Amino acid sequence: AKPDYSLMYVRSQLVGHDGKNYKDDYTEGDGATSYITDIAGRTLYTFINDTKDTNSFTKPDFSNDAVWPVAEIDLDKIPSILDDTDFGSIDVYGKTQITYKGWPLYYFGQDADRGDNKGISFPAPGIWPIANVDSP
């Protein structure tokens, strides 16, 4: 990996908050899935109730930010598998949240270790999908 990337594109097994393995379609099963992480290996998620360039989750007082923090990343260099024109940013009550293909990006507060992707099943599979090149 290049040390000057702002993001990484990884391939790993999805293991939800519930301890179950998931495939890239969020059904239970084994299989590696590719997805975007920050440079520290923290998984980036989207939220199915958001719309293009609109964060519909975060409260104005950030009282729910500990569960699904907004991803604030200064983008510089990204892996060539990702198209830098797919990235943007939005203002969320004074914070600058990055977007991918119009989807605001979040972290899952309980992803404690590099490579964790527990958010894919919290509160249920498919509510908080990972971000990858196949994201619509």
Side-chain angles (χ1 to χ4, degrees):
K2 293 183 71 174
D4 59 347
Y5 280 158
S6 303
L7 300 171
M8 297 299 298
Y9 201 68
V10 302
R11 187 160 177 80
S12 183
Q13 175 68 54
L14 298 176
V15 181
H17 184 267
D18 55 11
K20 297 177 183 176
N21 287 356
Y22 289 90
K23 298 184 284 187
D24 59 2
D25 63 358
Y26 307 105
T27 59
E28 288 183 39
D30 297 331
T33 299
S34 297
Y35 56 94
I36 303 170
T37 71
D38 69 7
I39 195 63
R42 294 182 64 201
T43 302
L44 294 169
Y45 301 87
T46 61
F47 180 44
I48 63 165
N49 293 331
D50 283 346
T51 55
K52 183 171 174 36
D53 295 326
T54 303
N55 173 329
S56 62
F57 177 78
T58 305
K59 294 181 179 178
D61 64 358
F62 295 102
S63 59
N64 60 351
D65 203 48
V67 181
W68 291 101
V70 300
E72 295 180 279
I73 301 170
D74 291 328
L75 296 179
D76 185 19
K77 295 181 182 174
I78 60 171
S80 60
I81 193 168
L82 300 171
D83 183 345
D84 61 352
T85 63
D86 285 335
F87 291 92
S89 64
I90 57 173
D91 178 77
V92 180
Y93 309 112
K95 290 187 177 188
T96 302
Q97 183 175 20
I98 65 167
T99 62
Y100 180 65
K101 296 183 179 180
W103 291 102
L105 296 178
Y106 303 81
Y107 294 110
F108 180 51
Q110 294 183 40
D111 281 350
D113 297 320
R114 174 186 287 270
D116 280 354
N117 47 46
K118 297 177 181 178
I120 55 102
S121 70
F122 186 86
I127 305 287
W128 292 89
I130 46 88
N132 67 16
V133 296
D134 295 325
S135 297

